[in-house]
Every structure is written in C-alpha cells, then in structure tokens.
Amino acid sequence: MGSPVFYLRRLRTLIQTEVLVLPSRITVLVFSLGLLLLPLFTRDPYVLRILILTSIFAILAASWDLLSGFTGQINFGHALFFGVGSYSTALLNIHAHLPPWAGIPLGALGAVLAGLVIGIPCLRLRGTYLALTTLAFPIILLGVVFAIPGITGGELGISGLSRLSGSRVGDYYITVILMLGLGGVMWKITDSKTGIIFHAIREDELAVRASGLNTVRYKLLAFCLSSFFAGIAGGLYAHLMRTAGPSTLEVGTSFQVIIWAVFGGMVSIYGPIAGVFILFPLLEFLRILPKIRMLVFAFIVLLTLLYMPEGLIPWIRDKIEKECPRCKVRNAATRKTCRVCAASLEKA
C-alpha cells in the first residue's frame, strides 16, 4: 500500500491528464463541487428539499439506464425496484428498528431479489413483449400491498420512519454524496469489460452468444445491479418522506424515469442524471404557471427530443468534443490533433 502522498500525486495526475483536458469532464467536476458547496451559500429548506429529491431520482434514472440503456432490456416497470426498496427499508425500520444506514442497503437487497424474480421469466422476451411484461409487475405488487394492509399499511402506507439524519443539510449531503458516488460506480461498471458486454448484448445478442459468452448470466447481472441501485433510491426516499406508500409503485413513476433518461441521453449514465437535474427543478419552477404547467413542460421535452433525438447531453458533448478516428479517444473540439495518438482531427 502506497503512502497518501503517492495517491495524492496520482489523483493530481489523473485530474490533469483525464479531467482538465475534456470540457465535459470539467463541467462534471464544476457541477459536483457546486453541489457540495451549495449549503455554504443557501440553506433554504425548500431549495435543499428539491435538490435532495432530485439526487434520489437521479440515482433511480441512472439505474434504469444501466439496465435498459446498456443491455436494451426495456423496462417499463422500474418503479417496482424503487417500491420494493422503499417498503423493505420501511419494514426493517419499523419492525426490526434498523437505522437508515443499515436498513437502506438491506432494502436494496430486497429489490435485488425482486430483480431476480422479474429477470428469470423475462429472459426469453424481447422488445414490446418484455416492456409490457415488466409493466405488469409493479401493478401486481400494488395489488398485494392493498391485499395485506396489516403489513403494508394499505392505501396509507407505512409511516413513522426514522429521519435520514438530524437536519435538512445532513439529508442534503447524504443524498448528494451518494448520488455522486453511486453515479460514479455505475459509470465505471459501464466503462468496464462487463459494461462492454452489456452494450454488445444490446447491439447483437446472437453474436455475443456465438462468441461463447453466457448472455443469460449477464442479463440477470444487469437486472440485479439495476435493481440494487434503484432500491437504494427507494430506501432514501422512504426515510426522507418518513413513509413508504403505494405512490412509489405507480405506473407514472416508471414513465417519469424513462422521460428523464431519454431527455438527458441514454447509454451514458451521466445523461439521465443530468436529465433529472434539469427536468425535476424545471417542473417545480413551472408551478408559477399552474394552469399550463404540464403543457409547457411537455412542449419543452418534445421540442428537445425532436431536434436532439440522442438526448440533450450527448448533443452538447458532440458540439464541444470530437472523437479521434484512429484511437477513438475523445478530445476537446478546439484540438487539431489527438491528445493520445497525435492523429489529425481536422476531418473527425
């Protein structure tokens, strides 16, 4: 194990050679620092609450992208994992008196179990059939919730959960740091060998299978990873709201996640996160126009997707960066030659 000085030098080298050379990564760095420093400038409870909810939903949207964006397993019932994580965490807190730091990861494991239950029967389905089948699962669980009100609280849900922390600022830092950390973990997963296989399954599953890889195992892995992160989001939401109710399983929640991910840009992880950070506060801001709020919101989303079909963030990235035609490394759009292989970027 090296000394702290060694790791600090490596971090400085990483920032200088991999972060500061690309405008998109500088933007992510500034965005992250801005979020972490925000409470130094304002502690307005309303502003912090909006950003806390935005961070939780950003984890949820990124987890949908990890499954549906990268493997092509379109999931119309992602609220199931969110709801299972929320209810599992609530039950552990109320009956086993587990604190949030212990109950949320265990609740997320409950969501992983739900991912296995869904993933196994859905492995043979594709496209529309898979999407409609996944849509049915949260509706089925909603029926179970109403059928056993003694355990789930029925329509009222489970209330009286412990607070996430002792203050709004504490809640803010917990959710923001988790969002940045889990977003980074999901991005590293998609950037690894496993992520490349996920992407290959999306492009041509038959070719992946012909190369000797077990696509069933990797699709199940994608379901489990996605459900784990969605379960974390559900647990955070339950402790923030201090209740776990049927609203977490509603069909509208699943479709909201898809809108955020598609708007920001699928197959990127950071695109869905950015999509939530743009659309969720925008919808709150539009409360100043209550009668035409949803109309204006829908118009903005449709107009963006009409001119940027790949999503807003990939469109912006392609304007400020270009890919080297030889080594496929991204470079700032102002560069004439590639920063790695020195190939000409004039025609890239």
Side-chain angles (χ1 to χ4, degrees):
M1 183 177 288
S3 66
V5 176
F6 171 75
Y7 288 111
L8 284 175
R9 284 178 178 172
R10 284 194 63 181
L11 179 63
R12 188 182 66 181
T13 304
L14 183 70
I15 291 175
Q16 287 177 338
T17 58
E18 293 296 330
V19 177
L20 298 182
V21 295
L22 290 176
S24 62
R25 293 182 185 177
I26 294 174
T27 305
V28 172
L29 181 65
V30 172
F31 170 73
S32 304
L33 290 175
L35 280 179
L36 293 174
L37 297 177
L38 182 73
L40 298 179
F41 302 100
T42 178
R43 297 198 174 192
D44 186 312
Y46 177 72
V47 173
L48 294 183
R49 180 183 172 81
I50 295 298
L51 289 174
I52 289 169
L53 287 171
T54 304
S55 298
I56 292 172
F57 290 136
I59 297 171
L60 182 63
S63 71
W64 182 86
D65 193 36
L66 181 63
L67 171 64
S68 298
F70 279 87
T71 68
Q73 306 294 300
I74 299 300
N75 182 7
F76 277 4
H78 205 60
L80 175 75
F81 306 139
F82 187 67
V84 169
S86 177
Y87 270 101
S88 302
T89 303
L91 289 170
L92 288 169
N93 183 249
I94 293 295
H95 297 293
H97 306 292
L98 288 183
W101 61 265
I104 291 174
L106 291 176
L109 291 179
V112 171
L113 187 61
L116 283 172
V117 170
I118 288 185
I120 291 172
C122 290
L123 288 174
R124 295 182 179 277
L125 301 175
R126 294 178 184 175
T128 309
Y129 299 103
L130 174 64
L132 292 177
T133 304
T134 54
L135 180 62
F137 282 98
I139 298 173
I140 293 170
L141 186 60
L142 201 56
V144 173
V145 166
F146 290 139
I148 48 173
I151 298 175
T152 62
E155 295 181 358
L156 299 177
I158 304 169
S159 58
L161 274 65
S162 304
R163 294 182 185 281
L164 200 56
S165 72
S167 68
R168 184 67 76 189
V169 175
D171 292 348
Y172 175 83
Y173 274 116
I174 288 172
T175 52
V176 165
I177 291 173
L178 275 176
M179 183 274 296
L180 294 174
L182 295 179
V185 169
M186 283 187 265
W187 182 78
K188 285 302 291 181
I189 290 173
T190 59
D191 197 41
S192 67
K193 179 185 171 184
T194 302
I196 293 171
I197 295 172
F198 285 170
H199 207 156
I201 290 173
R202 170 197 170 95
E203 296 300 320
D204 192 340
E205 184 178 346
L206 192 60
V208 176
R209 200 180 304 159
S211 66
L213 291 170
N214 187 337
T215 57
V216 172
R217 190 176 64 183
Y218 279 100
K219 285 197 289 187
L220 267 182
L221 178 62
F223 263 103
C224 292
L225 288 172
S226 176
S227 56
F228 178 78
F229 293 116
I232 293 281
L236 288 171
Y237 184 79
H239 278 289
L240 177 72
M241 307 303 287
R242 302 192 68 197
T243 181
S247 63
T248 57
L249 291 165
E250 288 177 350
V251 174
T253 304
S254 295
F255 284 109
Q256 266 191 329
V257 172
I258 297 172
I259 291 171
W260 289 328
V262 174
F263 176 86
M266 291 170 58
V267 203
S268 59
I269 297 297
Y270 53 80
I273 292 175
V276 179
F277 269 88
I278 294 170
L279 292 182
F280 190 77
L282 173 66
L283 198 57
E284 286 296 318
F285 175 75
L286 289 176
R287 288 187 186 278
I288 60 174
L289 305 168
K291 293 183 179 178
I292 58 171
R293 178 186 176 217
M294 292 309 298
L295 180 65
V296 174
F297 179 78
F299 181 74
I300 292 172
V301 173
L302 288 175
L303 199 65
T304 303
L305 294 180
L306 180 65
Y307 291 100
M308 306 166 197
E310 299 296 324
L312 177 64
I313 302 305
W315 183 85
I316 294 174
R317 187 191 60 176
D318 290 341
K319 294 295 179 187
I320 59 177
E321 295 176 2
K322 50 190 172 186
E323 190 178 78
C324 173
R326 183 191 292 174
C327 66
K328 305 301 179 187
V329 169
R330 298 199 70 84
N331 296 270
T334 52
R335 288 188 65 92
K336 303 296 182 187
T337 58
C338 176
R339 63 190 170 92
V340 174
C341 67
S344 174
L345 299 174
E346 292 295 338
K347 295 181 180 178

